[in-house]
């Protein structure tokens, strides 16, 4: 029998969504659910599970192959091994997540998670359908090469995913300062889901926010600037096929306009919003324009 | 006999591999069907609870406020509000900015003003197709399309 934290947690995910909706209705917490948006998020979650199965075999086979060529043999029963993989997996997640935002080929698979204009527990379940196809799982292969058993990697990834569920809420404002300093929290992750120029491409953390602080991508939530959720150009409907594939379609459309190999590379691997000749609008461009508008306040 | 650490790890790995092989088994179909039912119930609960954001009808002030975020560099000229106040059309130089309601929020897109003339009203509304989105704007009885809107001075 295999131990899968996500499968075990799924009934609690459902229960917590129910609790969050009821709390919004009866306790008037700061939470909003819109039926169409909720249906899209949950359907994306179910679709992601199905899509994940299509590549799970390949991912497992490659991981096993790498593990067979491991440098060390790390025991699953050693506490130090679990401590080590906790930090190493979380660091891997940080770079996976950063790549998934800063390069269009990987953004195309991740954008659907950000496509809701809402931020609630159902948003956490709005997961990718194409993440298995774009190879980001290769980023975890160094852990297998080091000698962490594939099952240990899978469990730690599952723990990270489960942790990240509960932070998708507006019902919790701020946690005590020591927790906010070390862990990814609802406040930090609201910033990550915001489309305000100040907040774009910030707070990539999985469990620990320390990586964002270390790599200069941390941005605190500011009361005077509430997050506006979604993507820079919000989608115009709740069609789940569009949610899942719109950025891939956009890449395809742009490639038909490419006039050089540089254009092709830029459209596929450049930052989202890139256009030849500097005519596009990337997150950095938006942030620069915002700073120019607000002057000294943009620090 | 107890398995070695490595054997145990590989044994667990088989569990991961099996996930890929058991995609079409009955267990999976039952879980998927149950998930579908759970989704339907949760969406029903969300609809019943009526906890969506309040989305007041559009007026000129709210459109300007929206566009200050959505198109902060646009030079906003005259604004036209649709008959049902769920959509708006804005003149921004040679461009039109179309604002329309989606769920409990609004979405905005810009397009060359000249493209508006290619769409004819039908049944008291225009169905605009702008890039990746479709927007339906309701017209007042007998209203001309596109409305005459002045660009910002």
């Amino acid at each position: 029998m295999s131990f899968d934290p996500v499968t075990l947690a799924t009934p609690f995910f459902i229960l917590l969504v129910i609790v969050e909706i009821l709390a919004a209705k009866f306790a008037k917490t700061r939470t909003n659910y819109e039926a169409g948006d909720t249906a899209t998020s949950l359907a994306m979650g179910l679709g992601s599970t199905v899509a994940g199965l299509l590549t799970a075999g390949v991912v497992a086979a490659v991981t096993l192959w790498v593990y067979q060529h491991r440098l060390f043999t790390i025991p699953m029963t050693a506490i130090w091994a679990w401590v080590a993989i906790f930090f190493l997996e979380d660091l891997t997640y940080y770079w996976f997540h950063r790549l998934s935002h800063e390069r269009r080929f990987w953004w195309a698979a991740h954008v659907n998670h950000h496509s809701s204009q809402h931020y609630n527990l159902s948003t956490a379940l709005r997961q990718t359908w194409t993440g298995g196809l774009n190879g980001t799982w290769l980023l975890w292969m160094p852990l297998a090469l080091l000698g962490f058993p594939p099952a240990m990697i899978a469990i730690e990834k599952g723990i990270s995913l489960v942790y990240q569920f509960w932070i998708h809420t507006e019902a919790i404002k701020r946690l005590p300062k020591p927790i906010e300093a070390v862990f990814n929290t609802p406040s930090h992750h609201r910033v990550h889901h915001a489309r305000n120029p100040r907040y774009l491409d910030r707070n990539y953390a999985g469990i620990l926010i320390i990586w964002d602080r270390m790599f200069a991508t941390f941005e605190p939530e500011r009361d005077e600037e509430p997050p506006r959720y979604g993507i820079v150009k919000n989608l115009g409907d709740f069609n789940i096929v569009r949610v899942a594939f719109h950025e891939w379609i956009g890449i395809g459309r742009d490639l038909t306009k490419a006039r050089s190999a540089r254009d092709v590379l830029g459209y596929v691997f450049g930052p989202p919003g890139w256009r030849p000749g500097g005519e596009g609008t990337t997150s950095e461009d938006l942030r620069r324009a915002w700073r120019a508008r607000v002057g000294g306040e943009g620090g | 006999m107890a398995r070695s650490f490595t054997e145990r790890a590989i044994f667990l790995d088989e569990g991961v591999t099996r996930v890929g092989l058991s995609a079409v088994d009955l267990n999976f179909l039952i879980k998927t069907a149950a998930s579908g039912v759970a989704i339907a119930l949760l969406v029903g609960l969300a609809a019943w609870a009526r906890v969506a954001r309040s989305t007041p009808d559009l007026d000129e002030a709210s459109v300007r406020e929206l566009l200050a975020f959505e198109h902060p560099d646009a030079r906003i000229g005259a604004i036209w509000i649709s008959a049902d106040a769920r959509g708006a059309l804005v003149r921004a130089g040679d461009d039109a900015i179309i604002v329309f309601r989606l769920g409990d929020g609004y979405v905005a897109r810009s397009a060359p003003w000249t493209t508006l003339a290619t769409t004819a009203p039908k049944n008291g509304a225009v169905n605009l197709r702008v890039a990746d989105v479709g927007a339906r704007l309701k017209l007042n009885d007998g209203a001309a399309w596109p409305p005459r809107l002045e660009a910002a001075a």
Side-chain angles (χ1 to χ4, degrees), chain A residues 156-196:
Chain A
E156 193 54 45
K157 284 176 82 172
I159 289 170
S160 177
L161 197 69
V162 171
Y163 178 87
Q164 290 176 56
F165 173 76
W166 74 275
I167 58 177
H168 289 83
T169 184
E170 291 190 288
I172 298 169
K173 196 162 186 249
R174 299 273 203 293
L175 293 169
K177 276 188 178 172
I179 295 174
E180 295 283 347
V182 177
F183 290 96
N184 194 12
T185 62
S187 173
H188 297 328
H189 207 58
R190 283 195 289 271
V191 165
H192 178 68
H193 274 257
R195 54 199 281 264
N196 314 44

mmCIF file of all heavy atoms in Angstrom, chain A residues 156-196:
data_model
loop_
_atom_site.group_PDB
_atom_site.id
_atom_site.type_symbol
_atom_site.label_atom_id
_atom_site.label_comp_id
_atom_site.label_asym_id
_atom_site.label_seq_id
_atom_site.Cartn_x
_atom_site.Cartn_y
_atom_site.Cartn_z
ATOM 1 N N GLU A 156 6.789 13.829 0.207
ATOM 2 C CA GLU A 156 7.118 15.214 0.577
ATOM 3 C C GLU A 156 6.421 16.203 -0.361
ATOM 4 O O GLU A 156 5.945 17.255 0.071
ATOM 5 C CB GLU A 156 8.636 15.411 0.558
ATOM 6 C CG GLU A 156 9.105 16.695 1.206
ATOM 7 C CD GLU A 156 8.604 16.884 2.636
ATOM 8 O OE1 GLU A 156 8.664 15.931 3.421
ATOM 9 O OE2 GLU A 156 8.140 18.008 2.950
ATOM 10 N N LYS A 157 6.361 15.855 -1.656
ATOM 11 C CA LYS A 157 5.623 16.717 -2.604
ATOM 12 C C LYS A 157 4.146 16.792 -2.208
ATOM 13 O O LYS A 157 3.512 17.843 -2.286
ATOM 14 C CB LYS A 157 5.745 16.173 -4.031
ATOM 15 C CG LYS A 157 7.091 16.456 -4.678
ATOM 16 C CD LYS A 157 7.201 15.818 -6.052
ATOM 17 C CE LYS A 157 6.539 16.651 -7.115
ATOM 18 N NZ LYS A 157 6.842 16.101 -8.473
ATOM 19 N N GLY A 158 3.618 15.637 -1.780
ATOM 20 C CA GLY A 158 2.216 15.598 -1.351
ATOM 21 C C GLY A 158 1.981 16.452 -0.117
ATOM 22 O O GLY A 158 0.993 17.188 -0.027
ATOM 23 N N ILE A 159 2.918 16.393 0.822
ATOM 24 C CA ILE A 159 2.799 17.207 2.046
ATOM 25 C C ILE A 159 2.787 18.692 1.677
ATOM 26 O O ILE A 159 1.990 19.484 2.183
ATOM 27 C CB ILE A 159 3.952 16.877 3.020
ATOM 28 C CG1 ILE A 159 3.751 15.467 3.609
ATOM 29 C CG2 ILE A 159 4.059 17.911 4.139
ATOM 30 C CD1 ILE A 159 4.943 14.928 4.385
ATOM 31 N N SER A 160 3.665 19.064 0.744
ATOM 32 C CA SER A 160 3.734 20.463 0.307
ATOM 33 C C SER A 160 2.409 20.896 -0.321
ATOM 34 O O SER A 160 1.888 21.979 -0.033
ATOM 35 C CB SER A 160 4.886 20.631 -0.696
ATOM 36 O OG SER A 160 4.925 21.943 -1.180
ATOM 37 N N LEU A 161 1.858 20.028 -1.160
ATOM 38 C CA LEU A 161 0.590 20.351 -1.826
ATOM 39 C C LEU A 161 -0.536 20.502 -0.805
ATOM 40 O O LEU A 161 -1.357 21.423 -0.893
ATOM 41 C CB LEU A 161 0.251 19.258 -2.845
ATOM 42 C CG LEU A 161 -0.804 19.621 -3.889
ATOM 43 C CD1 LEU A 161 -0.267 20.669 -4.852
ATOM 44 C CD2 LEU A 161 -1.217 18.384 -4.673
ATOM 45 N N VAL A 162 -0.550 19.597 0.160
ATOM 46 C CA VAL A 162 -1.592 19.663 1.196
ATOM 47 C C VAL A 162 -1.423 20.943 2.014
ATOM 48 O O VAL A 162 -2.400 21.639 2.314
ATOM 49 C CB VAL A 162 -1.533 18.412 2.104
ATOM 50 C CG1 VAL A 162 -2.449 18.577 3.312
ATOM 51 C CG2 VAL A 162 -1.932 17.170 1.314
ATOM 52 N N TYR A 163 -0.179 21.279 2.366
ATOM 53 C CA TYR A 163 0.063 22.502 3.134
ATOM 54 C C TYR A 163 -0.495 23.713 2.379
ATOM 55 O O TYR A 163 -1.102 24.615 2.963
ATOM 56 C CB TYR A 163 1.570 22.710 3.381
ATOM 57 C CG TYR A 163 1.841 24.000 4.135
ATOM 58 C CD1 TYR A 163 1.816 24.035 5.528
ATOM 59 C CD2 TYR A 163 2.069 25.201 3.448
ATOM 60 C CE1 TYR A 163 2.016 25.211 6.217
ATOM 61 C CE2 TYR A 163 2.268 26.386 4.130
ATOM 62 C CZ TYR A 163 2.248 26.393 5.514
ATOM 63 O OH TYR A 163 2.433 27.565 6.185
ATOM 64 N N GLN A 164 -0.252 23.705 1.061
ATOM 65 C CA GLN A 164 -0.619 24.898 0.287
ATOM 66 C C GLN A 164 -2.124 25.050 0.083
ATOM 67 O O GLN A 164 -2.577 26.085 -0.408
ATOM 68 C CB GLN A 164 0.097 24.877 -1.058
ATOM 69 C CG GLN A 164 1.591 25.110 -0.916
ATOM 70 C CD GLN A 164 2.321 24.996 -2.229
ATOM 71 O OE1 GLN A 164 1.994 25.693 -3.176
ATOM 72 N NE2 GLN A 164 3.278 24.090 -2.302
ATOM 73 N N PHE A 165 -2.889 24.054 0.441
ATOM 74 C CA PHE A 165 -4.344 24.166 0.296
ATOM 75 C C PHE A 165 -4.914 25.249 1.216
ATOM 76 O O PHE A 165 -5.586 26.179 0.778
ATOM 77 C CB PHE A 165 -4.997 22.810 0.583
ATOM 78 C CG PHE A 165 -6.499 22.890 0.624
ATOM 79 C CD1 PHE A 165 -7.234 22.995 -0.541
ATOM 80 C CD2 PHE A 165 -7.179 22.879 1.831
ATOM 81 C CE1 PHE A 165 -8.612 23.093 -0.514
ATOM 82 C CE2 PHE A 165 -8.555 22.966 1.879
ATOM 83 C CZ PHE A 165 -9.268 23.071 0.696
ATOM 84 N N TRP A 166 -4.607 25.143 2.488
ATOM 85 C CA TRP A 166 -5.301 25.977 3.484
ATOM 86 C C TRP A 166 -4.927 27.463 3.396
ATOM 87 O O TRP A 166 -5.628 28.320 3.934
ATOM 88 C CB TRP A 166 -5.037 25.464 4.905
ATOM 89 C CG TRP A 166 -3.645 25.762 5.395
ATOM 90 C CD1 TRP A 166 -2.532 25.026 5.175
ATOM 91 C CD2 TRP A 166 -3.231 26.895 6.160
ATOM 92 N NE1 TRP A 166 -1.449 25.618 5.755
ATOM 93 C CE2 TRP A 166 -1.839 26.767 6.363
ATOM 94 C CE3 TRP A 166 -3.885 28.011 6.705
ATOM 95 C CZ2 TRP A 166 -1.093 27.704 7.076
ATOM 96 C CZ3 TRP A 166 -3.147 28.941 7.412
ATOM 97 C CH2 TRP A 166 -1.762 28.792 7.596
ATOM 98 N N ILE A 167 -3.813 27.770 2.717
ATOM 99 C CA ILE A 167 -3.414 29.187 2.652
ATOM 100 C C ILE A 167 -4.196 29.962 1.588
ATOM 101 O O ILE A 167 -4.070 31.176 1.488
ATOM 102 C CB ILE A 167 -1.890 29.348 2.424
ATOM 103 C CG1 ILE A 167 -1.446 28.661 1.134
ATOM 104 C CG2 ILE A 167 -1.115 28.808 3.619
ATOM 105 C CD1 ILE A 167 0.042 28.852 0.825
ATOM 106 N N HIS A 168 -5.025 29.249 0.801
ATOM 107 C CA HIS A 168 -5.848 29.936 -0.201
ATOM 108 C C HIS A 168 -7.143 30.432 0.446
ATOM 109 O O HIS A 168 -8.229 29.934 0.153
ATOM 110 C CB HIS A 168 -6.166 29.005 -1.365
ATOM 111 C CG HIS A 168 -4.989 28.706 -2.242
ATOM 112 N ND1 HIS A 168 -4.062 27.735 -1.944
ATOM 113 C CD2 HIS A 168 -4.574 29.268 -3.401
ATOM 114 C CE1 HIS A 168 -3.133 27.706 -2.897
ATOM 115 N NE2 HIS A 168 -3.411 28.625 -3.793
ATOM 116 N N THR A 169 -7.016 31.382 1.317
ATOM 117 C CA THR A 169 -8.222 31.898 1.974
ATOM 118 C C THR A 169 -8.053 33.368 2.359
ATOM 119 O O THR A 169 -6.943 33.817 2.653
ATOM 120 C CB THR A 169 -8.570 31.066 3.232
ATOM 121 O OG1 THR A 169 -9.797 31.539 3.784
ATOM 122 C CG2 THR A 169 -7.478 31.149 4.293
ATOM 123 N N GLU A 170 -9.175 34.078 2.316
ATOM 124 C CA GLU A 170 -9.192 35.461 2.816
ATOM 125 C C GLU A 170 -9.733 35.509 4.239
ATOM 126 O O GLU A 170 -9.751 36.572 4.856
ATOM 127 C CB GLU A 170 -10.067 36.330 1.908
ATOM 128 C CG GLU A 170 -9.484 36.551 0.531
ATOM 129 C CD GLU A 170 -10.261 37.598 -0.244
ATOM 130 O OE1 GLU A 170 -11.395 37.304 -0.660
ATOM 131 O OE2 GLU A 170 -9.729 38.704 -0.436
ATOM 132 N N ALA A 171 -10.183 34.345 4.722
ATOM 133 C CA ALA A 171 -10.797 34.310 6.053
ATOM 134 C C ALA A 171 -9.773 34.522 7.169
ATOM 135 O O ALA A 171 -10.124 34.942 8.268
ATOM 136 C CB ALA A 171 -11.527 32.985 6.251
ATOM 137 N N ILE A 172 -8.519 34.200 6.888
ATOM 138 C CA ILE A 172 -7.449 34.401 7.883
ATOM 139 C C ILE A 172 -6.641 35.616 7.455
ATOM 140 O O ILE A 172 -6.078 35.642 6.359
ATOM 141 C CB ILE A 172 -6.534 33.153 7.954
ATOM 142 C CG1 ILE A 172 -7.335 31.937 8.399
ATOM 143 C CG2 ILE A 172 -5.346 33.404 8.891
ATOM 144 C CD1 ILE A 172 -6.587 30.620 8.256
ATOM 145 N N LYS A 173 -6.589 36.608 8.323
ATOM 146 C CA LYS A 173 -5.913 37.845 7.923
ATOM 147 C C LYS A 173 -4.396 37.709 8.073
ATOM 148 O O LYS A 173 -3.676 37.591 7.109
ATOM 149 C CB LYS A 173 -6.448 39.025 8.740
ATOM 150 C CG LYS A 173 -6.080 40.359 8.117
ATOM 151 C CD LYS A 173 -6.946 41.484 8.634
ATOM 152 C CE LYS A 173 -6.644 42.761 7.868
ATOM 153 N NZ LYS A 173 -5.972 43.776 8.658
ATOM 154 N N ARG A 174 -3.927 37.745 9.303
ATOM 155 C CA ARG A 174 -2.483 37.581 9.553
ATOM 156 C C ARG A 174 -2.292 36.598 10.691
ATOM 157 O O ARG A 174 -3.107 36.547 11.617
ATOM 158 C CB ARG A 174 -1.832 38.889 9.991
ATOM 159 C CG ARG A 174 -1.904 40.023 9.016
ATOM 160 C CD ARG A 174 -0.755 40.018 8.024
ATOM 161 N NE ARG A 174 -0.513 41.338 7.463
ATOM 162 C CZ ARG A 174 -1.343 41.991 6.670
ATOM 163 N NH1 ARG A 174 -2.509 41.452 6.357
ATOM 164 N NH2 ARG A 174 -1.034 43.175 6.194
ATOM 165 N N LEU A 175 -1.222 35.842 10.651
ATOM 166 C CA LEU A 175 -0.857 34.934 11.738
ATOM 167 C C LEU A 175 0.206 35.623 12.589
ATOM 168 O O LEU A 175 0.760 36.662 12.184
ATOM 169 C CB LEU A 175 -0.355 33.621 11.152
ATOM 170 C CG LEU A 175 -1.462 32.828 10.428
ATOM 171 C CD1 LEU A 175 -0.890 31.661 9.639
ATOM 172 C CD2 LEU A 175 -2.521 32.330 11.406
ATOM 173 N N PRO A 176 0.505 35.075 13.771
ATOM 174 C CA PRO A 176 1.532 35.701 14.619
ATOM 175 C C PRO A 176 2.843 35.913 13.855
ATOM 176 O O PRO A 176 3.210 35.113 12.983
ATOM 177 C CB PRO A 176 1.706 34.681 15.751
ATOM 178 C CG PRO A 176 0.392 33.984 15.824
ATOM 179 C CD PRO A 176 -0.113 33.915 14.418
ATOM 180 N N LYS A 177 3.537 36.984 14.207
ATOM 181 C CA LYS A 177 4.731 37.407 13.446
ATOM 182 C C LYS A 177 5.778 36.318 13.216
ATOM 183 O O LYS A 177 6.312 36.214 12.104
ATOM 184 C CB LYS A 177 5.367 38.621 14.124
ATOM 185 C CG LYS A 177 4.706 39.916 13.699
ATOM 186 C CD LYS A 177 5.451 41.119 14.203
ATOM 187 C CE LYS A 177 4.774 42.387 13.700
ATOM 188 N NZ LYS A 177 5.329 43.593 14.301
ATOM 189 N N PRO A 178 6.095 35.499 14.235
ATOM 190 C CA PRO A 178 7.109 34.463 13.974
ATOM 191 C C PRO A 178 6.688 33.489 12.876
ATOM 192 O O PRO A 178 7.516 33.028 12.100
ATOM 193 C CB PRO A 178 7.221 33.744 15.325
ATOM 194 C CG PRO A 178 6.739 34.725 16.330
ATOM 195 C CD PRO A 178 5.680 35.519 15.651
ATOM 196 N N ILE A 179 5.392 33.226 12.791
ATOM 197 C CA ILE A 179 4.899 32.318 11.745
ATOM 198 C C ILE A 179 4.976 33.012 10.385
ATOM 199 O O ILE A 179 5.435 32.436 9.396
ATOM 200 C CB ILE A 179 3.462 31.856 12.067
ATOM 201 C CG1 ILE A 179 3.470 31.014 13.344
ATOM 202 C CG2 ILE A 179 2.876 31.057 10.909
ATOM 203 C CD1 ILE A 179 2.108 30.623 13.850
ATOM 204 N N GLU A 180 4.536 34.272 10.350
ATOM 205 C CA GLU A 180 4.597 35.037 9.089
ATOM 206 C C GLU A 180 6.040 35.177 8.605
ATOM 207 O O GLU A 180 6.300 35.297 7.415
ATOM 208 C CB GLU A 180 3.981 36.432 9.281
ATOM 209 C CG GLU A 180 2.485 36.432 9.584
ATOM 210 C CD GLU A 180 1.620 36.178 8.349
ATOM 211 O OE1 GLU A 180 2.141 36.243 7.230
ATOM 212 O OE2 GLU A 180 0.416 35.898 8.534
ATOM 213 N N ALA A 181 6.986 35.179 9.550
ATOM 214 C CA ALA A 181 8.395 35.374 9.177
ATOM 215 C C ALA A 181 8.986 34.142 8.502
ATOM 216 O O ALA A 181 9.854 34.262 7.641
ATOM 217 C CB ALA A 181 9.215 35.717 10.421
ATOM 218 N N VAL A 182 8.487 32.982 8.870
ATOM 219 C CA VAL A 182 9.125 31.740 8.411
ATOM 220 C C VAL A 182 8.277 30.984 7.390
ATOM 221 O O VAL A 182 8.801 30.444 6.414
ATOM 222 C CB VAL A 182 9.411 30.818 9.624
ATOM 223 C CG1 VAL A 182 10.006 29.488 9.170
ATOM 224 C CG2 VAL A 182 10.353 31.505 10.602
ATOM 225 N N PHE A 183 6.966 30.975 7.618
ATOM 226 C CA PHE A 183 6.109 30.113 6.798
ATOM 227 C C PHE A 183 5.328 30.915 5.746
ATOM 228 O O PHE A 183 5.047 32.101 5.924
ATOM 229 C CB PHE A 183 5.112 29.361 7.686
ATOM 230 C CG PHE A 183 5.763 28.311 8.534
ATOM 231 C CD1 PHE A 183 6.123 28.576 9.845
ATOM 232 C CD2 PHE A 183 6.036 27.048 8.012
ATOM 233 C CE1 PHE A 183 6.737 27.615 10.635
ATOM 234 C CE2 PHE A 183 6.651 26.073 8.788
ATOM 235 C CZ PHE A 183 7.010 26.351 10.097
ATOM 236 N N ASN A 184 4.977 30.199 4.680
ATOM 237 C CA ASN A 184 4.048 30.753 3.704
ATOM 238 C C ASN A 184 2.665 30.756 4.364
ATOM 239 O O ASN A 184 2.236 29.748 4.912
ATOM 240 C CB ASN A 184 4.051 29.869 2.456
ATOM 241 C CG ASN A 184 3.395 30.525 1.268
ATOM 242 O OD1 ASN A 184 3.122 31.723 1.286
ATOM 243 N ND2 ASN A 184 3.175 29.752 0.220
ATOM 244 N N THR A 185 2.004 31.877 4.329
ATOM 245 C CA THR A 185 0.736 32.034 5.046
ATOM 246 C C THR A 185 -0.337 32.548 4.084
ATOM 247 O O THR A 185 -0.023 32.951 2.954
ATOM 248 C CB THR A 185 0.901 33.074 6.181
ATOM 249 O OG1 THR A 185 1.243 34.325 5.570
ATOM 250 C CG2 THR A 185 1.986 32.662 7.175
ATOM 251 N N PRO A 186 -1.592 32.569 4.521
ATOM 252 C CA PRO A 186 -2.624 33.134 3.651
ATOM 253 C C PRO A 186 -2.269 34.544 3.184
ATOM 254 O O PRO A 186 -2.472 34.887 2.017
ATOM 255 C CB PRO A 186 -3.864 33.130 4.553
ATOM 256 C CG PRO A 186 -3.655 31.944 5.450
ATOM 257 C CD PRO A 186 -2.180 31.943 5.733
ATOM 258 N N SER A 187 -1.723 35.357 4.073
ATOM 259 C CA SER A 187 -1.370 36.735 3.699
ATOM 260 C C SER A 187 -0.310 36.745 2.592
ATOM 261 O O SER A 187 -0.453 37.440 1.584
ATOM 262 C CB SER A 187 -0.861 37.484 4.932
ATOM 263 O OG SER A 187 -0.380 38.749 4.560
ATOM 264 N N HIS A 188 0.757 35.968 2.775
ATOM 265 C CA HIS A 188 1.823 35.932 1.761
ATOM 266 C C HIS A 188 1.299 35.402 0.425
ATOM 267 O O HIS A 188 1.685 35.880 -0.635
ATOM 268 C CB HIS A 188 2.975 35.037 2.228
ATOM 269 C CG HIS A 188 3.657 35.519 3.468
ATOM 270 N ND1 HIS A 188 3.782 36.856 3.773
ATOM 271 C CD2 HIS A 188 4.266 34.841 4.484
ATOM 272 C CE1 HIS A 188 4.432 36.972 4.931
ATOM 273 N NE2 HIS A 188 4.730 35.782 5.378
ATOM 274 N N HIS A 189 0.417 34.421 0.515
ATOM 275 C CA HIS A 189 -0.030 33.796 -0.735
ATOM 276 C C HIS A 189 -1.110 34.628 -1.432
ATOM 277 O O HIS A 189 -1.278 34.526 -2.641
ATOM 278 C CB HIS A 189 -0.509 32.368 -0.470
ATOM 279 C CG HIS A 189 -0.360 31.485 -1.682
ATOM 280 N ND1 HIS A 189 0.841 31.271 -2.309
ATOM 281 C CD2 HIS A 189 -1.278 30.788 -2.415
ATOM 282 C CE1 HIS A 189 0.667 30.480 -3.354
ATOM 283 N NE2 HIS A 189 -0.616 30.178 -3.451
ATOM 284 N N ARG A 190 -1.824 35.461 -0.669
ATOM 285 C CA ARG A 190 -2.748 36.399 -1.323
ATOM 286 C C ARG A 190 -1.953 37.331 -2.236
ATOM 287 O O ARG A 190 -2.389 37.642 -3.348
ATOM 288 C CB ARG A 190 -3.515 37.217 -0.265
ATOM 289 C CG ARG A 190 -4.632 36.443 0.405
ATOM 290 C CD ARG A 190 -5.576 37.374 1.163
ATOM 291 N NE ARG A 190 -4.996 37.935 2.364
ATOM 292 C CZ ARG A 190 -5.050 37.367 3.575
ATOM 293 N NH1 ARG A 190 -5.649 36.207 3.736
ATOM 294 N NH2 ARG A 190 -4.516 37.964 4.626
ATOM 295 N N VAL A 191 -0.803 37.756 -1.744
ATOM 296 C CA VAL A 191 0.073 38.599 -2.571
ATOM 297 C C VAL A 191 0.450 37.857 -3.850
ATOM 298 O O VAL A 191 0.413 38.414 -4.947
ATOM 299 C CB VAL A 191 1.349 38.983 -1.771
ATOM 300 C CG1 VAL A 191 2.435 39.524 -2.692
ATOM 301 C CG2 VAL A 191 1.007 39.991 -0.688
ATOM 302 N N HIS A 192 0.771 36.590 -3.705
ATOM 303 C CA HIS A 192 1.187 35.805 -4.872
ATOM 304 C C HIS A 192 0.079 35.718 -5.919
ATOM 305 O O HIS A 192 0.352 35.685 -7.119
ATOM 306 C CB HIS A 192 1.607 34.402 -4.423
ATOM 307 C CG HIS A 192 1.991 33.527 -5.564
ATOM 308 N ND1 HIS A 192 3.128 33.750 -6.316
ATOM 309 C CD2 HIS A 192 1.366 32.457 -6.141
ATOM 310 C CE1 HIS A 192 3.197 32.850 -7.280
ATOM 311 N NE2 HIS A 192 2.140 32.054 -7.189
ATOM 312 N N HIS A 193 -1.173 35.667 -5.483
ATOM 313 C CA HIS A 193 -2.297 35.547 -6.428
ATOM 314 C C HIS A 193 -2.803 36.897 -6.926
ATOM 315 O O HIS A 193 -3.746 36.934 -7.706
ATOM 316 C CB HIS A 193 -3.452 34.773 -5.787
ATOM 317 C CG HIS A 193 -3.327 33.295 -5.943
ATOM 318 N ND1 HIS A 193 -4.049 32.564 -6.856
ATOM 319 C CD2 HIS A 193 -2.518 32.404 -5.315
ATOM 320 C CE1 HIS A 193 -3.719 31.285 -6.767
ATOM 321 N NE2 HIS A 193 -2.790 31.164 -5.836
ATOM 322 N N ALA A 194 -2.194 37.974 -6.465
ATOM 323 C CA ALA A 194 -2.689 39.302 -6.840
ATOM 324 C C ALA A 194 -2.120 39.735 -8.182
ATOM 325 O O ALA A 194 -1.041 39.319 -8.586
ATOM 326 C CB ALA A 194 -2.308 40.309 -5.767
ATOM 327 N N ARG A 195 -2.873 40.607 -8.858
ATOM 328 C CA ARG A 195 -2.418 41.137 -10.140
ATOM 329 C C ARG A 195 -2.056 42.616 -10.049
ATOM 330 O O ARG A 195 -1.781 43.240 -11.069
ATOM 331 C CB ARG A 195 -3.490 40.889 -11.206
ATOM 332 C CG ARG A 195 -4.858 41.413 -10.844
ATOM 333 C CD ARG A 195 -5.932 40.743 -11.698
ATOM 334 N NE ARG A 195 -6.010 41.306 -13.014
ATOM 335 C CZ ARG A 195 -6.875 42.265 -13.360
ATOM 336 N NH1 ARG A 195 -7.744 42.737 -12.489
ATOM 337 N NH2 ARG A 195 -6.898 42.739 -14.574
ATOM 338 N N ASN A 196 -2.048 43.159 -8.842
ATOM 339 C CA ASN A 196 -1.552 44.526 -8.667
ATOM 340 C C ASN A 196 -0.082 44.532 -9.095
ATOM 341 O O ASN A 196 0.659 43.624 -8.714
ATOM 342 C CB ASN A 196 -1.606 44.941 -7.200
ATOM 343 C CG ASN A 196 -2.903 44.598 -6.519
ATOM 344 O OD1 ASN A 196 -3.412 43.498 -6.694
ATOM 345 N ND2 ASN A 196 -3.418 45.496 -5.718
#
